[in-house]
Amino acid sequence: ILEPPKKIKEILKDLWEVGKEDPRRVKHAFKVGVSLTLVSLLYLMEPFFKGIGKNAIWAVMTVVVVLEFSAGATLRKGLNRGLGTVIAGSLAYFMEFVALHSGKIIGAIFIGTAVFIIGSTVTYMRFVPYIKKNYDYGMLVFLLTFNLITVSSYTVHAAINIAQQRLFTIAMGIGICLVMSLLVFPIWSGDDLHKSTVTKLQGLSRSIEACVSEYFKEKEEDKEDSDFESDDENVIYKGYKTVLDSKASDEALAMFARWEPRHTIHCNKFPSQQYIKVGSVLRKFGYTVVALHGSLQTEIQTPRSIRILFRDPCVRLANEICKVLSELSESIRNRRHCSPEILSDKLEVALKDLNTAIKSQPKLFLGSNLHGDITNTHLNGDVSYYNDTNTNGIVSYHNDDKNNLNGCVLGQTTIQQNDTVSRCQSNSVMSDRRPVKKSTVTGERRRLRKQMSKIAVMKSLEFSEALPFAAFASLLVEMVARLDTVIDEVEELGTIACFKEYDKSFDRTDVQVRF
Amino acid sequence: ILEPPKKIKEILKDLWEVGKEDPRRVKHAFKVGVSLTLVSLLYLMEPFFKGIGKNAIWAVMTVVVVLEFSAGATLRKGLNRGLGTVIAGSLAYFMEFVALHSGKIIGAIFIGTAVFIIGSTVTYMRFVPYIKKNYDYGMLVFLLTFNLITVSSYTVHAAINIAQQRLFTIAMGIGICLVMSLLVFPIWSGDDLHKSTVTKLQGLSRSIEACVSEYFKEKEEDKEDSDFESDDENVIYKGYKTVLDSKASDEALAMFARWEPRHTIHCNKFPSQQYIKVGSVLRKFGYTVVALHGSLQTEIQTPRSIRILFRDPCVRLANEICKVLSELSESIRNRRHCSPEILSDKLEVALKDLNTAIKSQPKLFLGSNLHGDITNTHLNGDVSYYNDTNTNGIVSYHNDDKNNLNGCVLGQTTIQQNDTVSRCQSNSVMSDRRPVKKSTVTGERRRLRKQMSKIAVMKSLEFSEALPFAAFASLLVEMVARLDTVIDEVEELGTIACFKEYDKSFDRTDVQVRF
């Protein structure tokens, strides 16, 4: 459908993007080109060293297959290839020896059986998780080499000489790979793992920030703002997405990193295992962020007028959580321990305030009944009675230690009492409009389905409107609890990886996270 | 540390486990053994067909590398290898042609430059996501073959003849692979994808079931029961774990499945893309289950005496959700559309009842203040006043349509009023004991940390105890909302994959899910 020039433009754009995303890819491509050219020179040396030219094929193969993006991956493949070749070679020659000393036909049967048994066994062993993880490629090379040598040397004799040259060229290929990956612009998987951990912490922090600001946004979005909303949604989604899907890539990076030699003077060993642990704790933390995001998207929403009552403590609490995450990411980035005051007093105050704010709104579970019911006037009268005498009493009891915030909150409450009713109604209009918008996206098919009407019941239920907010608040509190395990693992990482001690002059905890 | 006999025993056990887990692995290993033996016969045919023996190396290589576990993966690799070889061969001979008609030195420079440019370009192109996903192996083979032919034919002439025989043996290798993977015990990735989708739905259902039964368990666990608890935890965790980590494996299976020929008479095309969509919707659903599980593990807990008030509607709601998930999994398993009444009236009733139950407990947000405060008697008096007049009014107003459940719930409430206080206290004792138990697990180090004291504040806050339950209930309701998108995607799958129409005689909706 696209015209050729357009298609070419697109391909070129793709290629450009790939390089822009990670410029080391260009370097890697350059390295492969140079290595292949070097290896090709072996062929030209044929006149000088007899026999190299013919076997240079193995050097080329080694370079093409072994030279991987990161140093760890290259070492892993190189060692696997080397070990596989040597072991397979030895075994094959032993077989050869036995076969040659039997008769011609018995020898053929012997070799055929050996090929079958070793082929099946090795293939089966590759399914064992430990082998699959560490030596999968080595097993493949073993199988390949064993078969090549066993079978070809059965017809071609004087095999020892060929094998020597072959090993020599393979060693040359591996040598070129090692020089290229360890000395020329080395790319370390360990560094990637380190950076990705920092990025994940920052992403989570950004997600939480965006979630909370989205939740307490003052205005309902108009159609015009929907682009902006999806922008905000994007920030939230991107922030935690990298964390959720990180398992496979983390494990691959950690596996490569384990093969890498020590390349920093800081510590004895790269703690790849601990990075995986941090990653898994962050994933668990990430699920809470997903749930928080879910409470923005849910069909039943607490009206904004009620949410606004809890805005201040929630925003401050989220702010503190973000600060802790940022401090952790800074600590990892700078390879130093995190501040001993990472859980600041402000976090504690914000938690207490949120608690007080929630306790001061006992009538919230009744909020949705305020639409002109028979019991409405009855109830309203009672709520205000309740409000005047008891709640204030409790609030002041809880309040005398620190702040006067709840005073204002309560002030707003009485003013917005009627306001709430009208907004609730406008909200229910909004939520009626929603499914229609959604169904145009997922197509006409959905509108026809019978069960649709039953889900719709849920929306018309006037479900207790405080419930979604309670979930939101609970998730924030849950996050604080999970922060503890995250800090634990990061500190453990700091201990194992010999991070620097915390330095007061690097203190960033006073830097305000923007909302 | 392990003695050799023990180690061997362990390795044998591992090998046995691998086969038990998926017996098709044994079949696959057998197939590889047979294929390799067949290919080895080529060497023995050397006396009959001149030249085959020498090039049989390529057939062996092809079989070892191309023959993968599933038919789709084999086809993908085989086609990639075939295409890569042919294109690289053509290009290499064109280069050869140009080089031969230049001088000796200019030709060498020309070929060196070509090797460098093509090596770099192909390596770089392999980073483009689309190519990486579909043609990564083909690019590798292209690079390998191009270099082998270009450079080796520069010294070894009469290349055309060699190339013909090489192509012939590679074709033979690919042929053996195709026969083995498509005709002898074929293993279809599409089937795996299908089955894993069914398993995921069942796992989620089991998780939710276990979560809810754990949440409403009557007794607090003693130390003796802790084994049992961890069993239950295991069920929950295992249920959703496969869903959460399914992204990478799903995409791999779908990619392989796309290469597989139609092997059922049901439909034109295997809808691998739709299976991925179902998987991603299930992952989103899974995050809600994780959050639900999180609300079991959180440090601040709603006392069991309060939870019990909502037991009935919650259990019924969860029951209905599980039923829907089971019905969906049955529908996919049997390749039929799901029941048009998949969202039963009971779901609606359970939702309504939960709503009513929550609305009938307006004082819950004050629950935690009942510990001997100054305001305690004041409050208690008020609550009961409140309880007697208003709430009952509302409940009966809401109640007159269907059930009399809330009546009992309220009955319990007044009885348990004092009970709640005592249980709350015993609960706070429990929660004080908790962190100690935890710290022995994560080691002494943690106890020494300064910030520990600040997290502990949270527990002592007597956080509004209804909050966690509200989150729990909200998540259940959220699940119902998300069920809709799951049903959507499964129905879409049914349409694309030409599922059978729903048959009343298969109706399982009346089968009770056990709790």
Side-chain angles (χ1 to χ4, degrees):
Chain A
I1 300 157
L2 284 169
E3 286 169 42
K6 236 185 187 173
K7 231 177 182 172
I8 288 172
K9 231 181 187 175
E10 225 164 70
I11 291 171
L12 286 179
K13 209 188 120 204
D14 270 7
L15 285 175
W16 178 254
E17 288 289 315
V18 164
K20 220 175 101 186
E21 212 180 291
D22 190 348
R24 296 174 308 173
R25 289 170 175 168
V26 181
K27 285 181 194 164
H28 174 65
F30 190 80
K31 276 155 70 173
V32 172
V34 171
S35 308
L36 283 176
T37 316
L38 281 178
V39 154
S40 303
L41 290 180
L42 283 179
Y43 281 93
L44 304 177
M45 282 155 59
E46 169 77 13
F48 310 105
F49 304 95
K50 266 268 174 236
I52 278 194
K54 255 182 209 156
N55 286 298
I57 177 177
W58 297 103
V60 170
M61 212 178 264
T62 305
V63 169
V64 170
V65 175
V66 168
L67 194 55
E68 292 263 333
F69 186 60
S70 73
T74 306
L75 276 174
R76 179 165 163 266
K77 270 209 157 172
L79 285 174
N80 263 303
R81 187 171 187 99
L83 270 179
T85 307
V86 169
I87 297 175
S90 320
L91 188 64
Y93 281 112
F94 172 72
M95 293 284 177
E96 238 19 68
F97 185 77
V98 174
L100 282 176
H101 288 255
S102 325
K104 186 121 193 173
I105 293 172
I106 294 179
I109 293 173
F110 177 75
I111 283 188
T113 319
V115 165
F116 174 75
I117 290 176
I118 287 190
S120 297
T121 313
V122 168
T123 308
Y124 186 73
M125 277 169 70
R126 283 175 70 195
F127 287 116
V128 176
Y130 175 75
I131 292 174
K132 193 180 187 70
K133 207 173 154 190
N134 291 290
Y135 302 107
D136 194 52
Y137 183 68
M139 296 299 261
L140 189 74
V141 168
F142 170 83
L143 192 58
L144 190 60
T145 313
F146 175 78
N147 278 289
L148 292 185
I149 297 178
T150 310
V151 183
S152 67
S153 66
Y154 186 69
T155 48
V156 183
H157 292 290
I160 298 286
N161 199 22
I162 292 177
Q164 267 183 350
Q165 284 167 357
R166 196 173 284 180
L167 269 181
F168 179 66
T169 48
I170 288 182
M172 260 183 130
I174 289 182
I176 289 176
C177 288
L178 290 187
V179 169
M180 278 294 168
S181 68
L182 294 179
L183 303 180
V184 184
F185 299 125
I187 297 165
W188 306 106
S189 286
D191 284 355
D192 278 2
L193 191 56
H194 182 87
K195 271 177 213 154
S196 86
T197 308
V198 173
T199 316
K200 278 189 273 183
L201 277 162
Q202 288 169 342
L204 284 177
S205 163
R206 233 175 294 128
S207 273
I208 297 170
E209 196 181 314
C211 263
V212 173
S213 78
E214 170 81 22
Y215 195 76
F216 292 110
K217 205 177 264 175
E218 297 268 339
K219 297 170 214 156
E220 295 279 343
E221 281 83 18
D222 296 330
K223 284 273 140 77
E224 299 166 286
D225 290 0
S226 64
D227 275 353
F228 180 72
E229 187 195 37
S230 71
D231 255 23
D232 227 22
E233 287 279 302
N234 245 336
V235 171
I236 301 173
Y237 182 65
K238 265 192 195 162
Y240 64 70
K241 188 181 178 297
T242 45
V243 178
L244 295 181
D245 297 338
S246 63
K247 190 171 187 254
S249 69
D250 269 14
E251 280 177 0
L253 285 178
M255 193 174 57
F256 297 149
R258 228 179 306 151
W259 293 85
E260 284 171 3
R262 175 165 79 105
H263 56 276
T264 55
I265 47 164
H266 297 308
C267 206
N268 293 323
K269 215 188 131 212
F270 184 78
S272 52
Q273 223 44 48
Q274 188 59 29
Y275 276 105
I276 288 190
K277 269 190 202 160
V278 172
S280 111
V281 168
L282 284 182
R283 263 199 305 286
K284 271 188 197 148
F285 191 89
Y287 298 145
T288 324
V289 181
V290 178
L292 196 73
H293 189 198
S295 68
L296 297 190
Q297 299 172 316
T298 183
E299 306 281 345
I300 316 137
Q301 283 289 6
T302 307
R304 274 165 207 279
S305 52
I306 293 180
R307 291 186 212 170
I308 222 86
L309 302 179
F310 304 100
R311 184 191 162 128
D312 182 69
C314 280
V315 166
R316 274 189 297 143
L317 186 59
N319 208 326
E320 291 303 319
I321 294 172
C322 291
K323 259 198 243 172
V324 171
L325 290 175
S326 303
E327 162 66 15
L328 287 175
S329 93
E330 281 302 304
S331 121
I332 295 179
R333 199 220 313 257
N334 301 324
R335 295 183 201 275
R336 61 164 174 80
H337 281 281
C338 57
S339 159
E341 281 117 30
I342 185 164
L343 293 172
S344 67
D345 294 330
K346 283 182 196 160
L347 181 68
E348 195 186 323
V349 173
L351 263 178
K352 273 189 186 160
D353 290 351
L354 178 59
N355 190 27
T356 322
I358 289 169
K359 281 186 182 165
S360 67
Q361 303 289 338
K363 69 198 175 305
L364 269 191
F365 264 150
L366 289 169
S368 58
N369 277 324
L370 296 174
H371 310 255
D373 281 355
I374 313 169
T375 50
N376 198 351
T377 48
H378 210 102
L379 187 67
N380 252 338
D382 216 78
V383 166
S384 58
Y385 164 73
Y386 196 66
N387 223 357
D388 292 338
T389 57
N390 289 300
T391 326
N392 274 331
I394 299 161
V395 168
S396 59
Y397 168 72
H398 266 272
N399 232 9
D400 53 9
D401 49 348
K402 237 157 235 161
N403 51 26
N404 53 3
L405 258 157
N406 286 289
C408 337
V409 170
L410 268 180
Q412 286 183 340
T413 324
T414 39
I415 296 164
Q416 289 186 331
Q417 197 64 44
N418 293 313
D419 210 325
T420 309
V421 177
S422 61
R423 290 217 194 169
C424 284
Q425 281 159 346
S426 77
N427 191 56
S428 70
V429 172
M430 278 302 290
S431 69
D432 282 342
R433 218 183 292 146
R434 265 194 182 179
V436 178
K437 184 185 157 195
K438 206 173 173 186
S439 71
T440 52
V441 176
T442 52
E444 289 297 308
R445 192 181 46 76
R446 184 175 165 177
R447 209 179 292 173
L448 299 169
R449 270 205 297 117
K450 204 176 161 190
Q451 45 257 57
M452 181 61 199
S453 59
K454 273 163 197 163
I455 283 289
V457 163
M458 208 176 65
K459 284 165 216 155
S460 66
L461 255 182
E462 291 171 6
F463 226 95
S464 185
E465 278 159 338
L467 206 60
F469 172 73
F472 184 84
S474 178
L475 285 168
L476 278 181
V477 175
E478 171 91 26
M479 266 180 203
V480 178
R482 293 206 174 181
L483 262 188
D484 206 30
T485 60
V486 174
I487 294 171
D488 256 14
E489 292 297 342
V490 172
E491 276 293 276
E492 177 84 37
L493 176 69
T495 313
I496 298 178
C498 316
F499 279 4
K500 293 193 287 272
E501 278 309 308
Y502 176 70
D503 184 354
K504 203 65 203 257
S505 61
F506 277 130
D507 194 358
R508 284 181 75 263
T509 42
D510 284 337
V511 178
Q512 198 67 24
V513 176
R514 214 173 14 81
F515 263 85
Chain B
I1 301 156
L2 285 168
E3 284 168 44
K6 234 184 186 175
K7 229 178 183 170
I8 288 170
K9 230 180 187 176
E10 221 164 73
I11 290 171
L12 285 178
K13 211 188 119 205
D14 270 9
L15 285 175
W16 178 254
E17 287 289 315
V18 164
K20 220 176 103 187
E21 211 180 293
D22 191 348
R24 295 176 306 172
R25 288 169 177 168
V26 182
K27 284 182 195 164
H28 174 65
F30 189 79
K31 275 156 71 172
V32 172
V34 170
S35 309
L36 283 176
T37 317
L38 281 179
V39 155
S40 303
L41 290 179
L42 282 179
Y43 282 92
L44 305 178
M45 283 155 61
E46 170 75 13
F48 310 104
F49 303 95
K50 267 269 176 238
I52 278 194
K54 257 183 208 154
N55 287 299
I57 176 177
W58 296 103
V60 171
M61 211 177 266
T62 304
V63 169
V64 170
V65 175
V66 168
L67 193 53
E68 294 262 333
F69 185 60
S70 73
T74 307
L75 276 176
R76 178 165 164 267
K77 270 209 159 172
L79 284 175
N80 262 303
R81 188 171 185 96
L83 270 179
T85 308
V86 169
I87 296 175
S90 319
L91 189 62
Y93 281 112
F94 172 71
M95 293 286 177
E96 241 16 72
F97 184 77
V98 174
L100 282 176
H101 287 257
S102 326
K104 187 120 194 174
I105 294 173
I106 293 177
I109 293 174
F110 177 75
I111 282 187
T113 319
V115 166
F116 173 76
I117 289 175
I118 287 189
S120 299
T121 313
V122 168
T123 307
Y124 185 73
M125 275 170 72
R126 284 174 69 196
F127 288 116
V128 177
Y130 175 75
I131 291 174
K132 193 179 188 72
K133 205 172 155 191
N134 291 290
Y135 301 106
D136 194 52
Y137 183 67
M139 295 300 259
L140 189 74
V141 169
F142 171 83
L143 192 58
L144 190 60
T145 313
F146 175 78
N147 279 288
L148 293 184
I149 297 177
T150 310
V151 184
S152 68
S153 65
Y154 186 69
T155 49
V156 183
H157 292 290
I160 298 288
N161 200 22
I162 293 177
Q164 267 183 351
Q165 284 167 356
R166 195 172 286 179
L167 268 181
F168 180 65
T169 48
I170 288 182
M172 262 184 129
I174 290 181
I176 289 177
C177 288
L178 291 187
V179 168
M180 278 294 167
S181 67
L182 293 180
L183 302 179
V184 184
F185 300 125
I187 296 165
W188 306 106
S189 287
D191 285 354
D192 279 1
L193 191 57
H194 182 87
K195 272 177 213 152
S196 85
T197 308
V198 174
T199 316
K200 279 190 274 182
L201 276 162
Q202 288 167 341
L204 284 177
S205 165
R206 234 175 294 127
S207 272
I208 297 171
E209 197 181 312
C211 263
V212 173
S213 77
E214 170 79 22
Y215 194 76
F216 292 109
K217 205 177 265 175
E218 296 267 339
K219 296 171 216 156
E220 293 279 343
E221 281 83 20
D222 296 331
K223 284 271 139 81
E224 300 165 286
D225 290 1
S226 64
D227 274 353
F228 181 73
E229 187 195 38
S230 71
D231 257 22
D232 226 25
E233 287 279 303
N234 246 337
V235 171
I236 301 174
Y237 182 65
K238 264 192 195 161
Y240 64 70
K241 189 183 177 297
T242 45
V243 178
L244 294 181
D245 298 338
S246 62
K247 191 175 188 250
S249 69
D250 269 15
E251 279 177 0
L253 285 178
M255 193 175 56
F256 297 150
R258 227 179 306 151
W259 292 85
E260 283 169 5
R262 178 164 77 106
H263 56 274
T264 55
I265 47 164
H266 295 310
C267 205
N268 293 323
K269 216 186 129 211
F270 184 78
S272 52
Q273 221 43 48
Q274 188 59 29
Y275 275 104
I276 287 190
K277 269 190 202 161
V278 172
S280 111
V281 168
L282 285 182
R283 262 199 306 287
K284 273 191 196 147
F285 192 87
Y287 298 144
T288 323
V289 181
V290 177
L292 197 72
H293 189 198
S295 68
L296 297 189
Q297 298 171 318
T298 185
E299 307 281 344
I300 317 136
Q301 282 289 6
T302 307
R304 273 165 208 278
S305 53
I306 292 180
R307 291 187 213 168
I308 221 87
L309 302 179
F310 304 99
R311 185 188 161 126
D312 182 71
C314 280
V315 166
R316 275 190 295 141
L317 186 58
N319 208 327
E320 290 304 319
I321 293 172
C322 291
K323 257 199 244 169
V324 171
L325 289 176
S326 303
E327 163 65 15
L328 287 176
S329 93
E330 280 303 304
S331 119
I332 294 179
R333 200 218 314 258
N334 300 324
R335 296 183 201 272
R336 62 163 173 79
H337 281 281
C338 57
S339 158
E341 280 116 31
I342 185 163
L343 292 172
S344 67
D345 292 333
K346 282 183 197 159
L347 182 68
E348 194 184 324
V349 173
L351 262 178
K352 273 188 185 161
D353 289 351
L354 179 61
N355 189 28
T356 323
I358 289 170
K359 281 186 182 166
S360 69
Q361 302 290 339
K363 71 202 173 302
L364 268 190
F365 265 151
L366 289 168
S368 59
N369 277 323
L370 295 174
H371 309 256
D373 281 356
I374 312 168
T375 52
N376 198 350
T377 48
H378 210 104
L379 187 68
N380 252 339
D382 215 80
V383 167
S384 57
Y385 165 73
Y386 196 65
N387 224 357
D388 292 338
T389 56
N390 290 299
T391 326
N392 273 333
I394 299 162
V395 168
S396 57
Y397 167 74
H398 267 271
N399 233 10
D400 53 8
D401 49 346
K402 234 157 238 160
N403 51 28
N404 53 3
L405 257 157
N406 287 289
C408 335
V409 170
L410 268 181
Q412 286 182 340
T413 323
T414 40
I415 296 163
Q416 289 185 333
Q417 196 66 43
N418 293 312
D419 211 325
T420 309
V421 178
S422 60
R423 290 218 194 170
C424 283
Q425 279 159 349
S426 77
N427 190 59
S428 71
V429 172
M430 280 300 291
S431 68
D432 282 341
R433 217 183 293 147
R434 266 197 181 175
V436 178
K437 184 184 156 196
K438 205 172 174 184
S439 72
T440 53
V441 175
T442 52
E444 288 297 306
R445 193 180 44 74
R446 185 177 164 173
R447 210 179 293 172
L448 300 170
R449 271 206 296 117
K450 203 176 163 191
Q451 44 258 54
M452 182 64 197
S453 59
K454 274 164 195 162
I455 284 290
V457 163
M458 209 176 64
K459 286 164 216 157
S460 65
L461 255 183
E462 292 170 4
F463 225 96
S464 186
E465 277 158 338
L467 206 59
F469 171 73
F472 184 84
S474 177
L475 285 168
L476 278 180
V477 175
E478 171 90 27
M479 267 179 201
V480 177
R482 293 205 176 181
L483 262 189
D484 204 33
T485 59
V486 175
I487 295 172
D488 256 15
E489 293 296 341
V490 172
E491 275 294 274
E492 177 83 38
L493 176 68
T495 313
I496 297 178
C498 316
F499 280 4
K500 293 193 288 273
E501 277 310 308
Y502 175 70
D503 184 356
K504 204 66 201 259
S505 61
F506 276 131
D507 195 356
R508 284 182 77 262
T509 42
D510 283 337
V511 178
Q512 198 68 25
V513 176
R514 214 172 15 81
F515 263 84

